[in-house]
Amino acid sequence: MVRTGYDAIVEELGTGWNSAADCETAIELAGLAPDDARWALTCLETLQVFDRDGTCLRIEPVLHAALGIVDAGK
């Protein structure tokens, strides 16, 4: 569920700055229920997947690059 949330944010919004509400909506659009989307977003924040600037989040660029390398090896 957490990886689904991460992938949904990247696919729908990219890796730039977005509001937390937009991130949650992107996760819901991937098919997760609102409570599950909120939980996935909370987990991603806890795992420090995002940089935060006030109320805006963006995917942490080094992590994103590393996941791209890992995914390419599959």
Side-chain angles (χ1 to χ4, degrees):
M1 193 173 336
V2 174
R3 182 62 193 247
T4 299
Y6 175 86
D7 290 340
I9 292 168
V10 171
E11 289 174 19
E12 291 292 326
L13 303 173
T15 58
W17 292 101
N18 296 286
S19 71
D22 287 345
C23 292
E24 188 174 322
T25 299
I27 297 170
E28 288 179 29
L29 289 173
L32 273 67
D35 287 342
D36 292 336
R38 210 169 4 268
W39 180 85
L41 185 62
T42 299
C43 288
L44 290 167
E45 285 195 82
T46 301
L47 293 168
Q48 298 180 346
V49 170
F50 301 110
D51 290 331
R52 179 178 277 281
D53 185 14
T55 61
C56 292
L57 304 171
R58 75 170 176 181
I59 299 291
E60 202 287 318
V62 175
L63 174 67
H64 182 66
L67 288 175
I69 292 169
V70 169
D71 288 344
K74 288 184 180 179

